[in-house]
Amino acid sequence: MPALPHHPAHDDLRRRWAATVAAAAGHAPDPSSPDPDRYADDLLGRWAEPQRRYHTTDHLAAVLDRVDTLAEYAHDVDLVRLAAWFHDAVYLPERSTNEERSARLAERALPELGIDRARTEEVSRLVLLTRTHAARDDDANGKVLCDADLAILASPPDVYETYAAAVREEYGFVPDDAFRAGRADVLRHLLGLPGLFRTPYGQREWEAPARRNVAAELERLRAS
């Protein structure tokens, strides 16, 4: 595996990964099992791929932080954390199978780390849920992951504009007119939802600023 590009969060992310794997497995690491750091470095290498502009290591760290913020609402927060690690581990902007391939990656890796079938299947399900972010009312884990992933929408306006620009860069292969039309469709869909966030914290803290940001981006697209 090529050497990882340096990122200031890498050491902390490796530590968090090892703690999450141990907690999800429910036992101390088996000395005969593969080193969790090897899996962390594989994932971190994926998050550092050159085609990424928004779906980067910074996004992974931000989603993990938001999962921590929402931890009290999850049924099993360690499985949500694992799903956050894997949810965009495979990311090619021109492909429509990223979530499926990311879920398959989790299904291969987690049993090797001592995580049982039922928990592995839950992580895979959560990863697949990020295709739509349509968590059911009774899906505590899903609501936490989806809210954590969408929380970027509630950023301060300047941070949101940087996020929107990074998304445009990831889709640099799409002509401007086609991108504006597709992005506007996504934004109108978001604004048409009864609620962008499903946890009490997300509804209270993120819903209003997210709607303002999304509406402002849609207006900018119309003006351009």
Side-chain angles (χ1 to χ4, degrees), residues 51 79 82 92 117 144 147-148 208:
Q51 77 276 12
L79 300 188
L82 288 175
L92 294 170
R117 179 177 176 179
V144 168
D147 277 16

Side-chain angles (χ1 to χ4, degrees), residues 14 20 25 32 52 67 69 98 102 104 132 142 156 169 181 189-190 197 222:
R14 288 188 189 94
T20 299
S32 66
R52 299 168 182 258
V67 170
T69 297
N98 292 319
S102 296
R104 300 296 88 78
T132 62
E169 287 184 38
H189 169 73
L190 291 173
F197 299 99
R222 287 170 177 157

Side-chain angles (χ1 to χ4, degrees), residues 54-55 63 77 106 141 159 174 183 193 222:
Y54 169 63
H55 294 88
V63 173
V77 71
N141 289 340
V159 176
V174 178
R183 181 69 175 171
L193 295 173
R222 287 170 177 157

Side-chain angles (χ1 to χ4, degrees), residues 180-202:
R180 283 196 294 267
R183 181 69 175 171
D185 285 345
V186 169
L187 298 175
R188 280 191 291 266
H189 169 73
L190 291 173
L191 290 173
L193 295 173
L196 295 171
F197 299 99
R198 305 295 303 283
T199 62
Y201 183 96

Side-chain angles (χ1 to χ4, degrees), residues 61-106:
V63 173
L64 289 169
D65 287 345
R66 292 163 186 151
V67 170
D68 287 350
T69 297
L70 302 173
E72 66 181 287
Y73 304 111
H75 175 69
D76 190 325
V77 71
D78 291 305
L79 300 188
V80 180
R81 291 184 178 114
L82 288 175
W85 273 91
F86 281 98
H87 81 287
D88 281 318
V90 177
Y91 186 74
L92 294 170
E94 68 275 17
R95 302 281 180 87
S96 62
T97 57
N98 292 319
E99 291 85 4
E100 289 84 354
R101 295 175 66 196
S102 296
R104 300 296 88 78
L105 182 66

Side-chain angles (χ1 to χ4, degrees), residues 133-147:
H133 297 93
R136 301 184 312 270
D137 288 343
D138 62 349
D139 184 0
N141 289 340
K143 290 191 289 188
V144 168
L145 180 62
C146 291
D147 277 16

